[in-house]
C-alpha cells in the first residue's frame, strides 16, 4: 500500500496579479515543478479568484478535458465554436478542447469577484472535435452524500474519470475505496477532516492510490470536499 500524497494549501504555487489570485495544486505555467506534474489523468487544479471586470483573454487549448466549477460569483465564457454563456455558482462547465479551441473567461460582474476551480484532465482520445456542456447541480443534494458532477450521473467527459462533491457536518463520516489501477484525489474546499491518518483542511489536497479498502473520511468541522477518481 503506497503512502498518501499530501499537498498542503500553503505549499501550492501562487500567481498574483492585479485581477487574479490563483493557487495551483500541480505544476502550471511558469510554476514548473517536475515532482508535481499531476496525479494520474488529473493534470491541473487551479483555485482562481478573479476581480470584477478581470479575466483571461482569448487563448488556445488542445487535447485536454477542461472542467470549471464555479464556487461563488459568475464567469462569462466565449469560445471559437460560437458557444457563449455565463457560469454561475453551482454550475459545472465541461469543455473538451479536442483538436483545438480558443476561448476566453471573464468575470461576468464589473465589481464582484468570482471564485472557481479549473480542472484539467487528460483525455482518453486525441484530436476529436471540441465539445461543451454546462449543468447546474443543487448543493442540497450533496449533504451527507456524494453528488456526481462529472461521470456517473454527472457530465460525461472523454475520460474514465469521476468528480464528486460532498458536504459533511461536524462528526459525520463517509467510507471510501480505491480500486487497483485507480487513484483518488481529495480536494478540501472548506472545513477540516481526517483520512488515512492525515488531518486535512481548506485548500489541502491528498492523493491515494489503489488498491485501498475501508478508508474513512471523517469531518471534525462542517466541511465540503471534491473527490477526483482517475485512472493511474
Amino acid at each position: 500500500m503506497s503512502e498518501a500524497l499530501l499537498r498542503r494549501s500553503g505549499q501550492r504555487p501562487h500567481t498574483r496579479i492585479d485581477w487574479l489570485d490563483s493557487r495551483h495544486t500541480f505544476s502550471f505555467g511558469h510554476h514548473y515543478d517536475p515532482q508535481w506534474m499531476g496525479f494520474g489523468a488529473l493534470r491541473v487544479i487551479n483555485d482562481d479568484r478573479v476581480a470584477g471586470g478581470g479575466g483571461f483573454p482569448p487563448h488556445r487549448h488542445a487535447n485536454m478535458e477542461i472542467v470549471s466549477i464555479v464556487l461563488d460569483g459568475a464567469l462569462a465564457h466565449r469560445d471559437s465554436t460560437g458557444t457563449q454563456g455565463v457560469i454561475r455558482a453551482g454550475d459545472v462547465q465541461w469543455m473538451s478542447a479536442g483538436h483545438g479551441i480558443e476561448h476566453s473567461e471573464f468575470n461576468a460582474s464589473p465589481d464582484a469577484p468570482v471564485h472557481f476551480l479549473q480542472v484539467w484532465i487528460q483525455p482518453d482520445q486525441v484530436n476529436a472535435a471540441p465539445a461543451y456542456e454546462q449543468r447546474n447541480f443543487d448543493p442540497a443534494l450533496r449533504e451527507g452524500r456524494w453528488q456526481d458532477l462529472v461521470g456517473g450521473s454527472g457530465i460525461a467527459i472523454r475520460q474514465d474519470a469521476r468528480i464528486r462533491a460532498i458536504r459533511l457536518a461536524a462528526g459525520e463520516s463517509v467510507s471510501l475505496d480505491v480500486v487497483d489501477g485507480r487513484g483518488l484525489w481529495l480536494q478540501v474546499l472548506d472545513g477540516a477532516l481526517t483520512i488515512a491518518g492525515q488531518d486535512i483542511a481548506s485548500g489541502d489536497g491528498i492523493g491515494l492510490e489503489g488498491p485501498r479498502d475501508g478508508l474513512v473520511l471523517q469531518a471534525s468541522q462542517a466541511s465540503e470536499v471534491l473527490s477526483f477518481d482517475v485512472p493511474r
Side-chain angles (χ1 to χ4, degrees):
M1 182 174 64
S2 61
E3 295 295 323
L5 182 65
L6 188 61
R7 183 69 142 174
R8 294 294 184 192
S9 178
Q11 296 173 330
R12 297 177 297 175
H14 189 198
T15 296
R16 182 68 183 266
I17 55 179
D18 57 350
W19 56 269
L20 175 66
D21 187 345
S22 182
R23 298 281 183 175
H24 313 288
T25 295
F26 303 112
S27 181
F28 187 81
H30 69 276
H31 297 293
Y32 174 71
D33 185 343
Q35 301 302 311
W36 287 94
M37 293 304 295
F39 182 74
L42 177 61
R43 177 61 188 83
V44 164
I45 302 176
N46 287 345
D47 187 342
D48 292 338
R49 298 173 188 268
V50 176
F56 302 90
H59 55 285
R60 191 168 179 81
H61 296 285
N63 294 318
M64 193 65 70
E65 304 297 280
I66 299 173
V67 178
S68 296
I69 303 170
V70 177
L71 304 176
D72 189 44
L75 188 68
H77 166 91
R78 184 186 298 266
D79 67 46
S80 55
T81 70
T83 300
Q84 58 182 304
V86 176
I87 316 160
R88 304 184 187 279
D91 290 347
V92 175
Q93 177 209 67
W94 162 64
M95 184 181 73
S96 183
H99 55 63
I101 194 169
E102 185 176 84
H103 78 136
S104 64
E105 300 155 298
F106 277 86
N107 191 330
S109 168
D111 42 36
V114 59
H115 180 201
F116 68 103
L117 297 185
Q118 187 165 101
V119 176
W120 294 6
I121 296 174
Q122 295 170 335
D124 61 10
Q125 55 183 289
V126 297
N127 296 328
Y132 180 97
E133 185 175 344
Q134 180 177 326
R135 198 184 300 182
N136 181 266
F137 293 88
D138 183 354
L141 299 180
R142 67 189 68 160
E143 299 288 350
R145 55 179 174 167
W146 290 108
Q147 180 187 44
D148 289 335
L149 304 181
V150 166
S153 62
I155 296 171
I157 69 171
R158 291 166 172 160
Q159 180 55 271
D160 180 17
R162 192 177 191 185
I163 303 175
R164 300 190 292 173
I166 194 169
R167 287 178 172 172
L168 295 173
E172 273 193 302
S173 64
V174 64
S175 297
L176 291 168
D177 295 323
V178 191
V179 303
D180 195 19
R182 308 285 296 182
L184 186 71
W185 185 271
L186 298 176
Q187 189 70 33
V188 184
L189 301 181
D190 193 28
L193 311 99
T194 301
I195 189 169
Q198 298 285 346
D199 295 325
I200 51 176
S202 183
D204 291 348
I206 188 169
L208 302 156
E209 296 183 9
R212 295 188 72 140
D213 299 325
L215 291 165
V216 176
L217 180 64
Q218 174 85 41
S220 53
Q221 302 175 8
S223 301
E224 187 165 9
V225 181
L226 293 178
S227 78
F228 302 81
D229 182 339
V230 293
R232 292 289 298 156

